[in-house]
Amino acid sequence: MNQFPPNLDPKIYNISSVVIGFALIQNFSAAEQNAIGNWFITVGQILENNSAWQQLIEQRMNGSYLNINSKQYKQTGNPKINDNDFNFKNLEIDELKKVIEIIKCEINKMQ
């Protein structure tokens, strides 16, 4: 099951659902189609719920999750506060310095 769903082009993957959907319509009444569709939706919701829960657990284990509703976030205004292993403030300053240098070079070229 490690390779399911397979690595397909997203368009091909979506087309396969269209083909399966139309194939299921053929000999079923509207009530039967509704029941089958609801069953597929339930399966999808179970998969979504399970994957969301697993993502939450993995983020908590990695220590890099963000809760924008937390009191800590609202007081600091910094969305990166839960990632203590990385200094975003220095990164932002370094990026700004690079941009300033690029702008200075462009101004010098224009003169």
Side-chain angles (χ1 to χ4, degrees), residues 1-52:
M1 281 285 215
N2 289 338
Q3 291 298 319
F4 188 82
N7 295 331
L8 293 175
D9 181 288
K11 293 175 185 171
I12 301 296
Y13 191 69
N14 285 320
I15 288 173
S16 69
S17 67
V18 170
V19 170
I20 291 170
F22 279 113
L24 290 174
I25 289 174
Q26 298 301 319
N27 297 318
F28 294 111
S29 69
E32 291 169 329
Q33 291 173 26
N34 190 16
I36 293 169
N38 284 328
W39 184 82
F40 278 117
I41 289 170
T42 302
V43 169
Q45 288 175 331
I46 291 169
L47 291 171
E48 287 284 334
N49 186 36
N50 184 66
S51 64

Side-chain angles (χ1 to χ4, degrees), residues 61-86:
M61 289 173 59
N62 293 334
S64 62
Y65 65 94
L66 170 67
N67 179 3
I68 62 171
N69 296 315
S70 71
K71 184 177 180 181
Q72 186 180 17
Y73 169 81
K74 289 179 181 178
Q75 288 177 342
T76 62
N78 183 358
K80 310 291 194 230
I81 57 173
N82 288 332
D83 195 344
N84 298 325
D85 297 332
F86 195 81

